[in-house]
Amino acid sequence: MNGGAGQRFCQALDLVDSPALIEEYLSYHQQIWPEIAAHLREHGILDMEIYRLGTRLFMIVDVSAEFDAVRFDAASLSNPHVQRWEALMWHYQVATPWTPQGDKWVVMERIFSLKQQ
């Protein structure tokens, strides 16, 4: 993360291997629901990007120094807009082979940083 003020999380998830469903998923992400964007920002998520290669998704999440993952998860579970969005997205998503049972996005391990070289 630039400036070192917060943290960066990189996560992976897969998509259902269906060109039609992938196109629908992409269209949802052209303009996510405003309630979802507000929820993310409200809980200290400064930026979020999702990249795709075939059916593999890679998400970068930059959070503020005040970000609390436990509080964010609890708020997400109690937010009806987030729960509807997650249920809708799960129609398009599938866990990676390395994802623990019941999880979706999985934090990836950083193995290289040019800044540390």
Side-chain angles (χ1 to χ4, degrees), residues 78-95:
S78 67
N79 184 311
H81 296 291
V82 172
Q83 290 306 298
R84 283 200 316 273
W85 176 263
E86 289 299 330
L88 176 61
M89 292 303 105
W90 198 235
H91 178 70
Y92 306 100
Q93 300 166 332
V94 59

Side-chain angles (χ1 to χ4, degrees), residues 28-80:
Y28 274 111
H29 285 81
Q30 293 305 304
Q31 184 67 50
I32 66 171
W33 298 350
E35 299 88 353
I36 302 304
H39 175 77
L40 297 172
R41 291 182 179 118
E42 176 181 313
H43 289 90
I45 296 178
L46 303 173
D47 197 14
M48 178 182 283
E49 297 178 332
I50 300 175
Y51 296 83
R52 179 177 74 92
L53 176 65
T55 58
R56 177 70 33 93
L57 298 176
F58 173 70
M59 181 167 63
I60 302 170
V61 183
D62 291 326
V63 300
S64 69
E66 296 78 30
F67 177 77
D68 181 326
V70 173
R71 189 172 59 216
F72 174 71
D73 290 344
S76 297
L77 287 172
S78 67
N79 184 311

